[in-house]
Structure formats: structure tokens, C-alpha cells
């Protein structure tokens, strides 16, 4: 990939100094207005049919933010830009300029998955070569620039807290707009890609519980926890309403926002959840389904020692139970914190809060967006330190490097070999078995193994982004990983799926969840499907049938591995075989449902929960929920004893493509 490494180095230097964490400044740097440079040509844009230009934006206040997906502070700036747009919908236009820190981040599909996950619908540039970055004189992530109605740069802010810093400037511009000199300006129209209706959405973590026969899944994009039978893959329970939010309560009412890492109490009765985008730790009583917050205020901020409910957190990513305490990787503050579960006290465990790779005494050492946590056989805490692309070890007093760079925060790659030579690229997940550490090497789309004795790194499975089961499998941004006996479970985030991997051979298979109607009923709004009413039909009284035919577009098929659900009802004009309302694995069409019709007028209703897939990715489940209404006149004058229902599935593109 071509880019200006001098400019990148300047950005990296600033990022090292700031740690890409909550900023100290809350005011914008106002400047003497200067003309905004236009956006460099030849840059790829997402969500819009063509590249916007500064002249086209005349008459609007434009919020231009420079960001990258791996920077957690950048995520708050994205939210701030949208907040300003929402408060001034007629006057403010946000535009994101994505300049990837890691090579994988400049892959448009990687950016696209982030946009889908966060529901972003405004214009985003993939500034892979730092061309716009250089033209605008940017030196750090995140940086936000305000351009006035007449194309002049009015203010600039580096760091997060962009809303507080820029709101006075934006408000002043909105209240005093100049007359546009170009009344015929072109206003571009956003065209975001539709999110795929997958059974799981960007799962962030997976936790296997063989003793309890359960598999816990952070269904991150659906803001819930799914519990499945570890042997049969039947859905047992869904924790969380599926609606984004922050509320305690029972399993069907509680709200999460992008839940991530999971941990289970020793007796298997309590599930701990890193509720990442709520900046909180949640506790689930698995006997009652009750969800309770045990740490965090719901606001993003630097953690502080004291009562766990009184302190803010900053993107808690994972949790690990050790000796009765809960260790939390607080990725946004570049630290590990400890929750004393008896006293509900929060205390600093490791990291200064400044991003880095410095090892040594744990309170003086530096981490960089620590993410996955796991305890090894020796009782040490293994840390997937995503921001430094390394794996670290934490004991009672010291932080050391297991593998990866030891002196350069931005040294990443995909090299196997000795601890000193091996390189990772933004690893988010880690787990352990006897003698091995297993790593979800996220931006390399690989599952890697580290021999704890020799400290040699090997690639078990994966290469480029994609999906493939069997030997030589492919993954897409694997994020979470857990190990039980002879099986690795992987949260394959970009493929919206959970994978089982044999640690001896690297062979993989995709978990196909059964009982999806439980998932749908629990997230009714999230999976709200189309409701269509067909033209009225006539049918003769007496024995007959409903004939359902479902057409698939080229390249797709009904999933032969997963059960689809069919429910039939009528308003008094038909007696439908009760056995017709059922789940059927790999149904074939046309499908005939035995029916007896009674004279009169009424409505037939077919509720379809159809699981389908791309023809070459049959383990990746997409989901279509549709209610079909058919007005029916049952009369002796009719010429047919059957009601025909023809339905065609029109799928969105998978976000991982």
C-alpha cells in the first residue's frame, strides 16, 4: 500500500503522546478563516455516489473529522459529529476522512463493516494514501475541522470531546449564515449500504461452558447475549432486549450497547459482561436472567479508584475472573483495572494510561488498547494488547512481553517464528490451553498459536479475509476466542458467525444456531421484516391447499443447515393443518399446506422466518422475516381449490464482502 510514511510518522508520534484517549482540552482552536482546500481527487468514497467537493457544500456548516477505526477516541468524535448533525439537521453536514493506521484498515470492506456496525450514513473518504490528510495539514487522530457556509475553515480541534469544543462555533455559524454565492450548488445524496439481516451481527466474543453445557455469545451488533447448547447449537436463552441502550432489569428488558468480553463465575451461576459502548460492566444472574450494572456510570471517562459504580470507564473490552476478583481491560484508557467483587471497589491494576509498549513494574508499564484477557496455567494474565500488536503477560508485580514488538508501538505484521521476530496486527482475542496461548489476530484474519515454553508463534488457520470451512479455512476479522478441551471457539466478527476450530489440524466448521424464532421474538424491532398484502384471490369451499413458492436470486439458496420457521393463520375462513406451523431445516419449495376452506371472505396470513445464504457460504446465515397477507373470497364460483403465494427474497450484500 502506498502512503506518505513521513506524514504517518508525524501522526503516530502525536498518537503516542496522546495515547488516543480522552483529551484534556474542551475548547476548539479558532483560527483566522482561510479557504478550505478541496478534497483530493482519486480518493475512494463510501456512502455517496460520487466524491463531494467543498463548493458543493456551500451554504452548509461542514464537520470534517479525521479518524481511523482502531482508535477508540475517534469513535466518540464520530458520535459527536453525528450529534451536531442531529441538532442542526438543516444546517450541518458531517464528513469523515478515514486514514488507516494499520494496513488492513484501508481495506474498503473493513471500513464498510464499521459503517454498517455503527449505522453511519454520511460521506466517508478512504484516504488510504494520506492525501487529504496532508492537504489539510492534519497531525493526529482524531482531528475535527469546521468549515463555514462559505467554504472557510473556521475552527479545528484535536482529540476527543469535539462536541463540547466545537458546539459554540457551530451554533454561531448556524445562527449567522451568509448568503450563498452559488445558489445552484449540487447537494450530494448519501447512499449507505443496507445492513445484512444476519442471525448474529458482528459477534465480539464467545465463552464456552462445557460443565453447564452452554455457549455464551456476545451478539454485539444486536446488543444482546445469546446462550446456546454447546452440543446441539439450540438457542437456550437470549439476554437483553436487542435494543441499544443502558438499562438493568430482567433478560427481556435489559439493554446493552455493543457488549463484548464475557466471563463466568466459578459455579457457573453468574455471567460478567464488558458492555463496551456503555462503558460499564454488567452482571447477569443466570438463574433469574436479571441484569445488573456493577461498574461504570454509563459515561466515558478515565477510571478512578473507589466504588465501582461511582467511576466512569472507557471502552471496557474484556473481563477475566481471577481469585475472586474481576480483571477488566479498559482499552480506551490503556489500562487493566481490578474489581473487588466482595467490596465492589475498583482499583488500578496495570498501565499508566499512556499508550506504549514499556514493560516493567505494572503500575509504571504501558499498554496500548489492551483487549482480550485470559489466565494461563501458571496463573498469569495474558493480554492481547491490540494497539501495540503484541501479547503481554501480567503477574502480581510485573508486565512483560510474551511476543511481539518490545520497543516500537507501531511495529506490526504477520510473521511467525520466535517471540522477538513474530508480528501480529491488532489482535483482539486471546485464550489458553495447556502449554499454548491462542490468539485471534484480528487484522490478519488468522488464528495464531504461541507455545508457552519455546515462545514460538505459528499460524493455525486463516490467511486473507474471507469465509471457508474445512481444512485451510478463512476468517474475517476474528475478535474473540475461547478454548475447551480439543476445540477452539472463535467469534468471527466480519462473517457474523461463531466457528469451531480443531487446534491440532486447523480444520474449522461454522456453528449454525437452531431455534432462531427465539432470537427474532426477543429482538422484534431489530428484525422487523416486511409486511406485504397480495391481491385478493378466490377459492372453492372444502378441501384445498396453500401453495408457497419462495424464489431466490442468483447466487443464493435456502440454508440447508439451519431451520426456517413457518406460521400460518386465518380469520375464520380456513382450517389449516396445525402441523404446518413449524421449523423446517432446509425446506424445499414449492411447499404445500393442507387446508379446508369455509365459505366467506377473510384473510390468510403467512409469517415466514427464512434462513438463507450465499451459495458458496452455506454456514453463514442471513435472515428474512416477512408477513404475507392474502385476502381470500371462498365461493362456489371459484375455479381453484388452492391459494398460491409467490414470494421472492431480495437480500442485501453481506457486509463482510
Amino acid at each position: 500500500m502506498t502512503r506518505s510514511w513521513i506524514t504517518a510518522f508525524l501522526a503516530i508520534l502525536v498518537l503516542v503522546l496522546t495515547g488516543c484517549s480522552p483529551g484534556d482540552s474542551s475548547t476548539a482552536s479558532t483560527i483566522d478563516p482561510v479557504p478550505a482546500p478541496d478534497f483530493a481527487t482519486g480518493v475512494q468514497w463510501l456512502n455517496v455516489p460520487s466524491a463531494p467537493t467543498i463548493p458543493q457544500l456551500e451554504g452548509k456548516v461542514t464537520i470534517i473529522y479525521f479518524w481511523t477505526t482502531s482508535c477508540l477516541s475517534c469513535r466518540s468524535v464520530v458520535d459527536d459529529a453525528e450529534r451536531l448533525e442531529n441538532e442542526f439537521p438543516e444546517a450541518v453536514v458531517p464528513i469523515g476522512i478515514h486514514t488507516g493506521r494499520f494496513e488492513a484498515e484501508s481495506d474498503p470492506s473493513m471500513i464498510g463493516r464499521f459503517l454498517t456496525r455503527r449505522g453511519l450514513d454520511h460521506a466517508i473518504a478512504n484516504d488510504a494514501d494520506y492525501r487529504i490528510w496532508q492537504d489539510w495539514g492534519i497531525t493526529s487522530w482524531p482531528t475535527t475541522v469546521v468549515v463555514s457556509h462559505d467554504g472557510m475553515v473556521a475552527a479545528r480541534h484535536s482529540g476527543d470531546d469535539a462536541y463540547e469544543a466545537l458546539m459554540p462555533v457551530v451554533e454561531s455559524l448556524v445562527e449567522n449564515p451568509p448568503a450563498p454565492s452559488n445558489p445552484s450548488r449540487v447537494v450530494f445524496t448519501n447512499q449507505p449500504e443496507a445492513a445484512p439481516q444476519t442471525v448474529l451481527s458482528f459477534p465480539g466474543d464467545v465463552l464456552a461452558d462445557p460443565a453447564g453445557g452452554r455457549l455464551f455469545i456476545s451478539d454485539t451488533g444486536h446488543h444482546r447475549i445469546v446462550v446456546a447448547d454447546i452440543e446441539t447449537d439450540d438457542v437456550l436463552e437470549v439476554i437483553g432486549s436487542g435494543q441499544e441502550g443502558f438499562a438493568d432489569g430482567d433478560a427481556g428488558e435489559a439493554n446493552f450497547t455493543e457488549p463484548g468480553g464475557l466471563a463466568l463465575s466459578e459455579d457457573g451461576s453468574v455471567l460478567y459482561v464488558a458492555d463496551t459502548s456503555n462503558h460499564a460492566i454488567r452482571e447477569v444472574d443466570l438463574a433469574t436472567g436479571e441484569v445488573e450494572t456493577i461498574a461504570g456510570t454509563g459515561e466515558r471517562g478515565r477510571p478512578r479508584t473507589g466504588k465501582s459504580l461511582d467511576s466512569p470507564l472507557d471502552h471496557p473490552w474484556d473481563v477475566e475472573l481471577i481469585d475472586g476478583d474481576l480483571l477488566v481491560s479498559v482499552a480506551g484508557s490503556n489500562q487493566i483495572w481490578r474489581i473487588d467483587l466482595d467490596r465492589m471497589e475498583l482499583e488500578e491494576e496495570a498501565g499508566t494510561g499512556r499508550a506504549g509498549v514499556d514493560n516493567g513494574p505494572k503500575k509504571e508499564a504501558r499498554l496500548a488498547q489492551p483487549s482480550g484477557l485470559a489466565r494461563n496455567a501458571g496463573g498469569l494474565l495474558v493480554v492481547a494488547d491490540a494497539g501495540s500488536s503484541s501479547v503481554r503477560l501480567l503477574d502480581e508485580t510485573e508486565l512483560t512481553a510474551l511476543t511481539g514488538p518490545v520497543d516500537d508501538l507501531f511495529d506490526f505484521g504477520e510473521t511467525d517464528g520466535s517471540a522477538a521476530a513474530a508480528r501480529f496486527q491488532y489482535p483482539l482475542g486471546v485464550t489458553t490451553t495447556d502449554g499454548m496461548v491462542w490468539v485471534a489476530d484480528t487484522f490478519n484474519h488468522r488464528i495464531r498459536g504461541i507455545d508457552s515454553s519455546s515462545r514460538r508463534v505459528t499460524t493455525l488457520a486463516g490467511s486473507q479475509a474471507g469465509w471457508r470451512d474445512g481444512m485451510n479455512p478463512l476468517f474475517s476479522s476474528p475478535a474473540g476466542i475461547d478454548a475447551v478441551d480439543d476445540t477452539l471457539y472463535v467469534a468471527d466478527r466480519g462473517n457474523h458467525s461463531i466457528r469451531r476450530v480443531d487446534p491440532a489440524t486447523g480444520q474449522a466448521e461454522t456453528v449454525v444456531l437452531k431455534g432462531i424464532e427465539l432470537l427474532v421474538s426477543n429482538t422484534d424491532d431489530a428484525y422487523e421484516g416486511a409486511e406485504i398484502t397480495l391481491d385478493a384471490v378466490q377459492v372453492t369451499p372444502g378441501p384445498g391447499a396453500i401453495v408457497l413458492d419462495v424464489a431466490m436470486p442468483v447466487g443464493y439458496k435456502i440454508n440447508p443447515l439451519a431451520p426456517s420457521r413457518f406460521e400460518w393463520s386465518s380469520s375464520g375462513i380456513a382450517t389449516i393443518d396445525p402441523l404446518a406451523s413449524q421449523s423446517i431445516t432446509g425446506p424445499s419449495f414449492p411447499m404445500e399446506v393442507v387446508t379446508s376452506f369455509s365459505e366467506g371472505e377473510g384473510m390468510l396470513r403467512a409469517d415466514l422466518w427464512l434462513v438463507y445464504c450465499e451459495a458458496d457460504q452455506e454456514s453463514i446465515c442471513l435472515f428474512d422475516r416477512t408477513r404475507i397477507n392474502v385476502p381470500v373470497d371462498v365461493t362456489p364460483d371459484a375455479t381453484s381449490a388452492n391459494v398460491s403465494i409467490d414470494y421472492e427474497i431480495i437480500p442485501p450484500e453481506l457486509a463482510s464482502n
Side-chain angles (χ1 to χ4, degrees), residues 213-420:
R214 299 169 295 188
L215 192 67
F216 298 94
I217 302 166
S218 279
D219 191 7
T220 305
H222 288 147
H223 313 292
R224 63 186 180 182
I225 308 299
V226 175
V227 187
D229 187 293
I230 199 169
E231 297 293 338
T232 67
D233 302 332
D234 287 297
V235 176
L236 302 175
E237 185 180 7
V238 177
I239 303 167
S241 69
Q243 301 303 300
E244 180 178 353
F246 185 36
D248 290 340
D250 64 35
E253 297 178 352
N255 295 333
F256 299 87
T257 302
E258 297 188 315
L262 304 169
L264 192 65
S265 64
E266 292 185 4
D267 64 2
S269 66
V270 177
L271 181 71
Y272 299 99
V273 182
D275 194 7
T276 302
S277 291
N278 274 329
H279 312 291
I281 305 299
R282 317 292 288 280
E283 177 184 271
V284 183
D285 185 324
L286 294 173
T288 66
E290 194 73 15
V291 177
E292 181 181 0
T293 302
I294 63 170
T297 63
E299 298 294 328
R300 176 174 177 258
R302 288 194 180 279
R304 57 177 180 266
T305 301
K307 291 296 183 181
S308 58
L309 286 171
D310 294 339
S311 172
L313 297 172
D314 186 356
H315 291 92
W317 204 270
D318 200 6
V319 285
E320 182 74 8
L321 198 64
I322 295 183
D323 299 330
D325 289 346
L326 196 66
L327 278 294
V328 183
S329 56
V330 187
S333 68
N334 306 302
Q335 292 176 299
I336 308 294
W337 283 73
R338 178 185 295 268
I339 302 174
D340 184 317
L341 295 175
D342 292 330
R343 299 183 295 119
M344 287 299 171
E345 296 277 349
L346 186 68
E347 63 178 282
E348 187 179 74
E349 180 69 14
T352 65
R354 310 296 284 181
V357 294
D358 302 335
N359 294 305
K362 64 182 184 180
K363 297 292 182 68
E364 301 172 14
R366 291 187 178 188
L367 294 151
Q369 291 188 26
S371 299
L373 303 177
R375 187 181 188 182
N376 69 10
L380 302 181
L381 185 69
V382 183
V383 182
D385 199 35
S388 67
S389 296
S390 67
V391 180
R392 320 283 285 276
L393 290 176
L394 178 64
D395 63 19
E396 293 183 356
T397 61
E398 297 281 321
L399 182 72
T400 58
L402 175 60
T403 185
V406 294
D407 57 3
D408 186 346
L409 185 61
F410 299 89
D411 186 1
F412 59 87
E414 54 186 37
T415 309
D416 287 340
S418 66

Side-chain angles (χ1 to χ4, degrees), residues 185-225:
R185 66 186 183 278
V186 177
V187 179
F188 61 91
T189 302
N190 294 356
Q191 295 181 336
E193 289 189 9
Q197 288 191 332
T198 46
V199 172
L200 297 175
S201 177
F202 301 103
D205 199 18
V206 59
L207 173 64
D209 171 33
R214 299 169 295 188
L215 192 67
F216 298 94
I217 302 166
S218 279
D219 191 7
T220 305
H222 288 147
H223 313 292
R224 63 186 180 182
I225 308 299

Side-chain angles (χ1 to χ4, degrees), residues 589-650:
F589 300 100
M591 173 188 293
E592 187 171 297
V593 178
V594 176
T595 310
S596 178
F597 294 103
S598 302
E599 192 168 343
E601 294 183 353
M603 187 78 72
L604 277 178
R605 173 170 291 169
D607 282 312
L608 311 180
W609 291 264
L610 301 174
V611 183
Y612 66 104
C613 58
E614 291 186 325
D616 60 347
Q617 296 190 126
E618 64 184 25
S619 291
I620 307 301
C621 297
L622 289 95
F623 186 78
D624 182 272
R625 181 184 182 183
T626 302
R627 170 169 287 176
I628 302 175
N629 299 305
V630 186
V632 179
D633 179 12
V634 183
T635 173
D637 297 332
T639 59
S640 174
N642 297 338
V643 173
S644 296
I645 300 176
D646 295 323
Y647 175 63
E648 180 181 1
I649 293 178
I650 302 176

